[in-house]
Amino acid sequence: MYLLDANVLIRADADFYPLERIPQFWEWLIEMGNSDQVKLPLEIYQEIAAGAGTLAEWITNKDTKAALLLRETTDPARIQYVLDTGYQAQDKRFNDGELQKIGKDAFLVAYALAEDGRVVVTREVSGPAKRLGNRKLPDVCNDCNVQWTNDYEMYRLLDFNLR
């Protein structure tokens, strides 16, 4: 199962597959959600739904929500593990600004840890020198032994096409 970071859908709509111009992409995503191949944890879903515009309208549609929302909660201990392992630099502690930078990414990794075979999908690129709240999602995944990929690789693996 692929767990999407919010930036995957935000950038798809803004840059590559605008909802109003390439509806086939968004229909395909719903199909992938209905077959449990692509999901959004609640925290990531809420991040997108809180926005404005066509993407927020699309994600809050009852059929879209039913298809894409991962209907489970994560263990707080898993979230703490992600924060400790993926974000902490030895004995340092987060300040409020760093926690805000992390946002919902720690939840995404925690959901991926919940079951083998889950893969985090993000548009972020590795920046291994970054620390604390500035960590990039691929590096957090690596530190927590979670598989990750970018959106284009997921599209290829799930055979998205416009034929």
Side-chain angles (χ1 to χ4, degrees):
M1 176 187 297
Y2 294 95
L3 300 177
L4 304 184
D5 189 9
N7 63 25
V8 171
L9 297 183
I10 292 167
R11 297 298 359 133
D13 181 43
D15 298 333
F16 307 108
Y17 308 111
L19 270 155
E20 65 280 354
R21 299 198 65 210
I22 307 178
Q24 304 93 320
F25 172 77
W26 303 94
E27 292 163 5
W28 174 81
L29 272 177
I30 291 172
E31 181 182 318
M32 293 296 102
N34 282 329
S35 66
D36 291 332
Q37 294 184 69
V38 172
K39 292 292 182 182
L40 292 167
L42 177 63
E43 294 80 4
I44 304 302
Y45 171 87
Q46 290 172 333
E47 190 176 343
I48 299 167
T54 55
L55 182 58
E57 291 172 18
W58 177 80
I59 200 93
T60 56
N61 172 282
K62 67 179 179 81
D63 293 332
T64 304
K65 183 177 182 178
L68 292 176
L69 185 62
L70 181 65
R71 300 213 179 259
E72 62 185 57
T73 57
T74 191
D75 180 357
R78 257 192 219 105
I79 297 166
Q80 192 60 55
Y81 170 80
V82 172
L83 290 171
D84 291 343
T85 304
Y87 288 97
Q88 292 292 349
Q90 304 193 352
D91 293 330
K92 294 184 179 181
R93 285 290 173 232
F94 294 113
N95 62 40
D96 289 342
E98 290 165 337
L99 284 173
Q100 193 168 15
K101 286 179 189 176
I102 292 170
K104 305 300 181 184
D105 287 353
F107 286 89
L108 186 59
V109 178
Y111 282 102
L113 281 167
E115 195 171 303
D116 285 342
R118 290 185 174 178
V119 179
V120 169
V121 181
T122 185
R123 292 197 51 81
E124 289 184 18
V125 295
S126 176
K130 305 279 186 184
R131 289 287 169 242
L132 297 170
N134 292 318
R135 294 297 314 273
K136 297 298 181 184
L137 197 47
D139 303 312
V140 174
C141 287
N142 289 342
D143 289 349
C144 294
N145 293 313
V146 167
Q147 287 185 297
W148 66 274
T149 191
N150 65 48
D151 51 341
Y152 290 111
E153 180 67 6
M154 180 191 75
Y155 304 150
R156 187 184 69 73
L157 292 170
L158 292 179
D159 197 31
F160 170 69
N161 64 70
L162 291 171
R163 286 183 244 157

